[in-house]
């Protein structure tokens, strides 16, 4: 086939990390009354203290800003889709992925799965892919043993979310 391989970034509905982040964004916006309680946090942890929640917070804030009166579930879906794009932007920080996309050897696509129905909505390429490519090739960055350790709960959440 003449088509390059596809790297698919798949977000999903009912994602606990996204829900925690939207819960935090809604609380900060004064919408505490609209926020369902968290089910999964361990005793002694606060959602706003998790690094993963802080990383996802821009997507949740953007979703809430674009639909300020929307119910929690709708804001979570919008934040989940925005997080797909944020993840694609992160992938473009990899010199290998950047080079392969720029050369047409790879395409990066976004998708979103509704876990209740199992239906996947394909979102296509990042809406600002050309601008991402125009930024230029990123520098090589490698995580080493001298980097700060990642707490176990955050590592588990990162694996579950795919970020």
């Amino acid at each position: 086939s003449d088509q390059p391989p596809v790297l698919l970034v798949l977000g999903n509905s009912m994602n606990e990390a996204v829900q925690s982040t939207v819960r935090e964004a809604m609380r900060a916006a004064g919408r505490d009354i609209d926020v369902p309680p968290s089910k999964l946090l361990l005793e002694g942890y606060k959602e706003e203290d998790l690094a993963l929640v802080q990383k996802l917070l821009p997507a949740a804030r953007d979703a809430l800003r674009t639909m300020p009166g929307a119910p929690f579930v709708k804001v979570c879906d919008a934040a989940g889709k925005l997080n797909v794009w944020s993840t694609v932007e992160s992938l473009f920080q990899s010199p290998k992925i950047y080079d392969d996309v720029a050369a047409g050897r790879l395409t990066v696509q976004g998708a979103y799965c509704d876990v209740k129905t199992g239906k996947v909505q394909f979102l296509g390429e990042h809406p600002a892919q050309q601008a991402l490519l125009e930024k230029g090739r990123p520098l090589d960055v490698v995580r080493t043993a001298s980097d700060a350790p990642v707490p176990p709960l955050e590592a588990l959440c990162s694996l579950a979310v795919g970020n």
Side-chain angles (χ1 to χ4, degrees), residues 1-6 100-101 103-107 125:
S1 165
D2 291 2
Q3 297 295 323
V6 174
D100 285 352
V101 171
R105 294 185 301 264
L106 177 71
T107 182
E125 293 179 344

Side-chain angles (χ1 to χ4, degrees), residues 16-128:
E16 280 116 14
V18 172
Q19 289 174 343
S20 291
T21 306
V22 169
R23 215 180 332 274
E24 183 59 27
M26 289 179 86
R27 280 188 196 118
R31 289 191 52 194
D32 300 56
I33 193 92
D34 301 327
V35 177
S38 177
K39 301 176 207 166
L40 293 178
L41 277 182
L42 300 174
E43 190 75 30
Y45 285 93
K46 293 181 181 177
E47 289 174 316
E48 65 269 18
D49 293 335
L50 296 175
L52 183 58
V53 168
Q54 293 304 313
K55 183 177 180 181
L56 298 172
L57 207 47
R61 287 182 182 139
D62 287 347
L64 192 56
R65 200 172 303 122
T66 59
M67 44 184 22
F72 178 77
V73 172
K74 294 281 186 194
V75 177
C76 286
D77 282 342
K81 290 175 184 174
L82 289 172
N83 187 52
V84 167
W85 297 134
S86 177
T87 302
V88 169
E89 291 167 12
S90 295
L91 289 172
F92 271 74
Q93 296 305 305
S94 159
K96 171 71 172 146
I97 291 173
Y98 176 91
D99 290 347
D100 285 352
V101 171
R105 294 185 301 264
L106 177 71
T107 182
V108 180
Q109 305 269 328
Y112 191 75
C113 178
D114 181 327
V115 297
K116 285 185 179 178
T117 64
K119 291 184 180 179
V120 175
Q121 175 188 7
F122 286 89
L123 305 172
E125 293 179 344
H126 191 292

